[in-house]
Amino acid sequence: MNKKNVRKVLLMLAVAAMVMISTVSVSAATTIKRVTTANLNLREGPGTTYDRIVTIPKNTTLTLYNRNNASTWFRTKYKGVYGWVSAKYLKKSSGSSSDTSGTKQTTAVQVVLRSSAKVSTSNKVTTIKKNKKVTVQKKYNNNWYKVKYGSKTGYIQAGLFVSDKENGAVYKVTTAKVNMRSKKKIANNVITVLPDDAKVQILSESGTWFHIKYKGVKGYIKSNYVTVGEGSNESESTSYTKETLSTAVNLRSQPKVTSSTKIRTLDEGEKVTILSEYNSSWLYVRASDGTTGYIKAGNFKSDSASSQSTGITTANVNLREDRSLSSDPITVVPKNTEVTIVAAYNSGWYKVKYKGVTGYMKSGYFR
């Protein structure tokens, strides 16, 4: 074989190899289920340096929610607990194909059509309004659809169709602790920090932001921090604690003490509604005149401990390290479990003891 023919053969083999690699990549992206090929550790993060949460048995089918940049680790859920598993010990499950070619779907909220299956400031094709029909060509993993809208083809995030509605609303789940903001910009406008696995209602998508509602409070979060999932039971609660101020306190536009953040002074004896806890030092509240803002914690008449008693949980609920939904969970206490209430706080939290471990729970989950 002469040199010219050798070059042609090598070129053909290279092209064939590229096609094979491309096919494998696309095939892997169109499945959302995997089966463990061995007893597999569920870890707190994407790597062996993260602590093991539990061991998942061989031949367990898992739903994959998202992956790290190298696609070597996947985030999943096992027996109600979220964590990360190594891709080395996963295989395709039968019936996991997500080919939905030709199906029609109706948008449940305003969505962004993108040129690629990722959230970016540079890949917006157009905005599709609520209640518009699109033709689904394919579903990619658990987070994206390739669709056709009029003459345009692109990608939209999954979970935003009318068929995805739950109790008349569209929900997604946070994949990490994320700032909920009052405006679509990253600058001094944080309302609260949403915990990992918080279930939020999606109102609309705009650019790289979702307009959301969480526990009755509206705000904005970056849309790359949410995915399709079940979410924590805690996010379903929309009841709020009303408290009476024990002293005059300044209501502020941001959780910091400066002359420019002061909105007005709230009087002693005035009632406020606690909407969320920004951290252990600041609360996001609604004043009696409807004005929202931040006040320092610990300024209520009933912020004191009660005598020990017991309570029965009304749902699976997180036992946390501190009195904040952004505080890390210690464990999940099952529904209908008796716990010892060590202290009660007017900010809507109990200090409890469960199996010898002391932590904090929201007060709305007891009877």
Side-chain angles (χ1 to χ4, degrees):
M1 186 181 293
N2 59 39
K3 291 183 178 179
K4 185 175 181 181
N5 288 335
V6 169
R7 284 197 297 270
K8 285 184 178 179
V9 170
L10 291 174
L11 179 61
M12 291 173 64
L13 289 173
V15 171
M18 290 176 66
V19 170
M20 288 176 67
I21 292 171
S22 174
T23 303
V24 171
S25 175
V26 171
S27 175
T30 58
T31 58
I32 61 173
K33 300 283 188 182
R34 291 290 187 272
V35 176
T36 57
T37 60
N39 292 340
L40 180 57
N41 288 330
L42 181 72
R43 296 186 179 274
E44 292 183 349
T48 55
T49 58
Y50 290 90
D51 289 340
R52 180 182 68 85
I53 301 171
V54 70
T55 299
I56 304 172
K58 182 180 178 180
N59 294 324
T60 300
T61 300
L62 301 173
T63 299
L64 307 180
Y65 295 114
N66 50 1
R67 65 187 76 191
N68 64 349
N69 290 336
S71 296
T72 54
W73 289 81
F74 287 89
R75 187 171 183 266
T76 188
K77 184 179 182 182
Y78 177 67
K79 291 188 175 181
V81 179
Y82 284 94
W84 293 80
V85 292
S86 172
K88 293 180 181 179
Y89 305 100
L90 300 174
K91 68 178 181 180
K92 289 183 181 180
S93 61
S94 59
S96 62
S97 173
S98 56
D99 185 8
T100 54
S101 179
T103 61
K104 297 282 187 180
Q105 290 279 12
T106 302
T107 56
V109 296
Q110 174 182 293
V111 302
V112 176
L113 182 70
R114 302 182 184 277
S115 58
S116 55
K118 64 179 181 180
V119 177
S120 171
T121 57
S122 61
N123 67 351
K124 177 181 174 181
V125 176
T126 189
T127 298
I128 304 176
K129 293 183 178 179
K130 180 180 178 179
N131 293 327
K132 296 295 182 180
K133 290 190 179 296
V134 300
T135 302
V136 176
Q137 296 182 337
K138 186 168 288 187
K139 186 176 183 180
Y140 290 88
N141 58 64
N142 199 38
N143 286 324
W144 292 90
Y145 282 106
K146 185 178 182 181
V147 305
K148 186 173 183 180
Y149 175 64
S151 61
K152 295 179 171 59
T153 299
Y155 300 83
I156 65 174
Q157 291 201 53
L160 302 176
F161 295 130
V162 170
S163 59
D164 298 311
K165 279 189 172 182
E166 178 184 335
N167 298 323
V170 174
Y171 294 94
K172 278 181 174 282
V173 174
T174 57
T175 59
K177 293 179 181 179
V178 57
N179 289 328
M180 178 178 173
R181 301 178 182 274
S182 59
K183 299 177 182 178
K184 291 183 291 182
K185 64 178 183 178
I186 302 177
N188 300 325
N189 60 353
V190 176
I191 296 173
T192 189
V193 179
L194 303 184
D196 182 15
D197 196 30
K199 193 172 185 178
V200 299
Q201 181 182 343
I202 304 298
L203 302 177
S204 66
E205 184 182 16
S206 177
T208 58
W209 295 87
F210 275 134
H211 188 204
I212 68 163
K213 188 176 182 181
Y214 179 70
K215 292 184 175 291
V217 181
K218 294 180 181 180
Y220 297 88
I221 61 173
K222 296 293 284 184
S223 57
N224 56 322
Y225 285 100
V226 294
T227 187
V228 179
E230 295 179 8
S232 167
N233 287 335
E234 287 190 59
S235 63
E236 294 300 314
S237 174
T238 56
S239 59
Y240 303 105
T241 305
K242 284 192 175 181
E243 301 295 347
T244 303
L245 292 171
S246 60
T247 184
V249 62
N250 288 327
L251 181 69
R252 299 184 180 276
S253 59
Q254 299 173 35
K256 61 181 179 180
V257 180
T258 65
S259 58
S260 62
T261 61
K262 180 180 176 180
I263 299 173
R264 72 176 180 89
T265 299
L266 304 179
D267 296 328
E268 178 183 352
E270 186 171 347
K271 290 187 179 296
V272 298
T273 302
I274 300 173
L275 301 177
S276 64
E277 295 196 14
Y278 178 75
N279 55 32
S280 58
S281 299
W282 290 91
L283 302 173
Y284 186 64
V285 304
R286 182 170 57 238
S288 55
D289 63 355
T291 306
T292 56
Y294 300 88
I295 63 170
K296 295 286 285 184
N299 290 303
F300 302 118
K301 288 185 176 180
S302 59
D303 248 343
S304 60
S306 67
S307 58
Q308 288 196 6
S309 60
T310 59
I312 306 294
T313 55
T314 58
N316 294 340
V317 58
N318 287 325
L319 180 69
R320 297 185 181 273
E321 293 180 350
D322 200 358
R323 286 180 287 160
S324 171
L325 288 176
S326 62
S327 177
D328 291 334
I330 300 171
T331 187
V332 177
V333 180
K335 182 179 179 180
N336 294 324
T337 300
E338 184 176 272
V339 298
T340 301
I341 299 173
V342 178
Y345 302 88
N346 78 332
S347 52
W349 288 87
Y350 281 140
K351 184 177 183 180
V352 306
K353 183 178 288 186
Y354 169 66
K355 290 186 176 180
V357 178
T358 300
Y360 297 88
M361 288 183 181
K362 290 293 287 182
S363 59
Y365 293 92
F366 293 98
R367 67 172 187 270

